[in-house]
Amino acid sequence: MKKEIVTNNAPAAIGPYSQAIEAGNMVFVSGQLPADPATGKIESTDIGTLTRRSLDNISAILYSAGLTMADVVKTTVFLTNMNDFKEMNTAYASYFGDCAPARSAVEVKALPKNSPIEIEAIAVKS
């Protein structure tokens, strides 16, 4: 069984996908752009600020599913410029304690809305 997770506290999906899907004890959060939930716009160019916005969007979706960032076991970070890695990494680290989730970070040619970053996550309910 799968259940769609939806919240107004994160940007609405911009295509035929869900913000997240709960399947068993796992929650799969779709890639989150650093868009403001109220406007749908990306309002900064600073990669640290954008990283935090994407992670805040993930956090809001997880909260809607009864989870927190502490429940995240895997993330994937998509960057359009790997030169942004260090600044992204600094902002990213502030969201996770001593037991950070497994992570991949890859450079891609382009992302929706010309965003320089997108982050997806998988979380597990205890």
Side-chain angles (χ1 to χ4, degrees):
M1 260 338 240
K2 68 180 185 176
K3 174 184 170 188
E4 183 178 30
I5 306 297
V6 179
T7 180
N8 291 329
N9 294 322
I14 58 173
Y17 61 90
S18 301
Q19 287 175 320
I21 292 290
E22 183 177 330
N25 69 334
M26 299 180 76
V27 175
F28 300 85
V29 181
S30 294
Q32 293 300 301
L33 297 174
D36 180 281
T39 65
K41 295 181 180 178
I42 297 171
E43 300 175 344
S44 177
T45 57
D46 175 72
I47 197 67
T49 300
L50 296 173
T51 300
R52 288 185 289 277
R53 171 56 80 182
S54 287
L55 291 168
D56 287 344
N57 291 339
I58 289 170
S59 181
I61 293 166
L62 290 172
Y63 181 80
S64 177
L67 298 170
T68 70
M69 295 298 272
D71 299 303
V72 175
V73 296
K74 172 72 168 84
T75 63
T76 304
V77 178
F78 303 94
L79 295 165
T80 58
N81 185 343
M82 198 53 83
N83 290 328
D84 290 335
F85 182 84
K86 184 177 180 182
E87 189 177 350
M88 173 281 296
N89 205 42
T90 299
Y92 177 97
S94 69
Y95 280 75
F96 301 101
D98 293 337
C99 188
R103 182 182 80 189
S104 301
V106 295
E107 185 177 60
V108 295
K109 183 176 179 180
L111 290 165
K113 296 188 173 188
N114 294 315
S115 176
I117 188 169
E118 181 175 16
I119 304 173
E120 65 182 19
I122 300 170
V124 176
K125 288 187 172 191
S126 301

